[in-house]
Amino acid sequence: MNRKIFIIHSSEIIRKGINTILRNYFNVEIVLLEKIEELKAFYELNGQEIIIIYENLSGKKPVNFKPLLDKNQINWIIFQNDKEMSDEPLPLCKFYITLATQARDIERMVSRCWDKSKKQPRTEENEELTIREKEVLQLVALGHSNKAIAEKLFISIHTVISHRKNITEKTGIKSISGLTVYAILNNLIDTETINPEDLI
Amino acid sequence: MNRKIFIIHSSEIIRKGINTILRNYFNVEIVLLEKIEELKAFYELNGQEIIIIYENLSGKKPVNFKPLLDKNQINWIIFQNDKEMSDEPLPLCKFYITLATQARDIERMVSRCWDKSKKQPRTEENEELTIREKEVLQLVALGHSNKAIAEKLFISIHTVISHRKNITEKTGIKSISGLTVYAILNNLIDTETINPEDLI
DNA sequence: AAAAAAATCCCTACATCTTGGGATTTTACA
DNA sequence: TGTAAAATCCCAAGATGTAGGGATTTTTTT
């Protein structure tokens, strides 16, 4: 099931702060919105698991998202300024973020919102890349097209595509930039010696 | 001259939010601190150009950093909660960040802090990327498609393509992997904190 | 030698990116 | 307040990549 996190807050600083914190822990799409109204643009999101983190400064009664996104499994986390806690209990929400909240607290809150359904399996079958796959990955990270890789390795483009499919499957990384970072972290290419401008 | 930005704020959310915003615009070291006392660990920093962004919530009279870091050229920007503006004028500081401050405003403030010392020498035909171009480049390096970038930035895909054309022209880098390496080397993305598996 | 794993090759339909043209509106600055 | 730069938007054709199926031949391993 597709998962998303919406961060709705009027302050760009806070939006980006929470985003930075969550990005490190959760491999899901995070959408930053300034106003609740912008959620309307996502009406078509049905049947998704969603966490909404939204501000409730000045102690107002918080919005109930249920009718807004009815087909989705949603949980929400309320961002509340320390000093302005509402007196009334907040509906369907057990989690609060305050200005002072630490990264690990935020991470824990989001985790709990999802934990009840299921933890990411995180298939660590340790699917090592084969030699050929590493060669292909290296060339991908060096900026070569499938066609160019085929020529360089004296194989057909179909084979290259097959290898890339396997690489994507094993690493779980789809994007070229993700693969590039992976290649750097796994010493398949070297940012010290390689000039980005050399990367065709 | 070595330049640094210190962000001092008790809230991790805000520290990381400002950091995320500034990282996109300034290729300098940014240090995040929770308390002013932690600045002491940097006493040895002499003869540097420093900007300190620190919180002054609850309208207290702000700290004067001058004696603290005397040998440095320092400027500071005060983080002030909207609702709690101090009545007395703040010394030597013309810039404020509030909760509601936008990325562009923060960037401008920091720019102005440094602008007065010296205008960018405009070395060579300094084909600097614009702010928007950097934003797009960052998202490219984070693995997003043009379409996804368009949605994320609330612009049309045509605009994204335009920006990418300009980026390619200015940097001379065509491939996504090359742009990713460029982004890493220019601190637009951070391999320390970003997991390649997060790169969609 | 049989089984398993790796490497090779092929296809189609569709999605996405690139290239090479534009044009208009906003914003910054002098 | 006018100008330049930045940001925005649009099109079409062709290139390239992706997703989903396969299949065959080499190597390795047991």
Side-chain angles (χ1 to χ4, degrees), chain B residues 22-82:
Chain B
L22 293 179
R23 229 179 22 200
N24 299 341
Y25 304 111
F26 299 97
N27 188 12
V28 299
E29 191 182 341
I30 300 177
V31 182
L32 307 187
L33 303 177
E34 197 177 341
K35 299 168 194 162
I36 288 178
E37 291 79 52
E38 293 169 20
L39 254 184
K40 286 172 192 160
F42 295 89
Y43 262 131
E44 73 282 1
L45 297 174
N46 280 330
Q48 303 210 1
E49 272 184 284
I50 293 172
I51 287 184
I52 295 176
I53 298 173
Y54 78 107
E55 81 179 304
N56 188 50
L57 298 177
S58 46
K60 283 178 206 152
K61 191 175 172 182
V63 175
N64 187 343
F65 293 109
K66 210 79 178 180
L68 208 63
L69 294 159
D70 208 21
K71 307 266 176 53
N72 301 295
Q73 290 180 244
I74 56 172
N75 291 285
W76 51 89
I77 293 172
I78 290 181
F79 189 102
Q80 190 97 20
N81 195 333
D82 267 2

Side-chain angles (χ1 to χ4, degrees), chain A residues 11-14 16-18 20-21 23-24 27 30 33 38 79 81 83-84 97-99 101-103 106 122 140-143 171 173-178 180-182 184-185 191 196-197 199-200, chain B residues 10-18 20-21 23 79 81 83-84 97-99 101-103 106 140-143 152 154 171 173-178 180-182 184-185 191 193 196-200:
Chain A
S11 163
E12 184 167 9
I13 295 170
I14 288 175
K16 294 203 168 170
I18 298 177
T20 299
I21 290 168
R23 225 174 29 195
N24 299 338
N27 186 14
I30 300 177
L33 303 177
E38 292 169 20
F79 189 102
N81 196 332
K83 299 157 190 168
E84 296 159 338
I97 297 175
T98 70
L99 263 187
T101 303
Q102 303 295 299
I106 296 181
R122 183 98 179 149
V140 169
L142 288 174
T171 62
I173 303 171
K174 283 184 181 180
S175 69
I176 293 177
S177 43
T180 305
V181 173
Y182 179 94
I184 291 168
L185 295 178
T191 48
E197 291 173 36
L199 309 189
I200 311 151
Chain B
S10 58
S11 162
E12 183 169 8
I13 295 171
I14 289 176
R15 288 198 299 274
K16 294 204 168 170
I18 299 177
T20 298
I21 291 167
R23 229 179 22 200
F79 189 102
N81 195 333
K83 301 157 187 166
E84 295 158 339
I97 297 175
T98 72
L99 265 186
T101 303
Q102 303 295 301
I106 297 182
V140 168
L142 288 175
K152 201 148 274 202
F154 300 106
T171 63
I173 303 171
K174 282 185 179 181
S175 69
I176 293 177
S177 43
T180 304
V181 173
Y182 179 92
I184 292 169
L185 295 179
T191 49
T193 55
E197 289 173 36
D198 294 340
L199 307 191
I200 306 156

Side-chain angles (χ1 to χ4, degrees), chain B residues 129 133 136-137 163-171 179:
Chain B
L129 296 183
E133 284 160 3
V136 170
L137 172 53
H163 286 310
R164 289 200 55 181
K165 278 189 263 192
N166 291 334
I167 292 167
T168 296
E169 218 170 80
K170 287 184 182 177
T171 63
L179 292 172

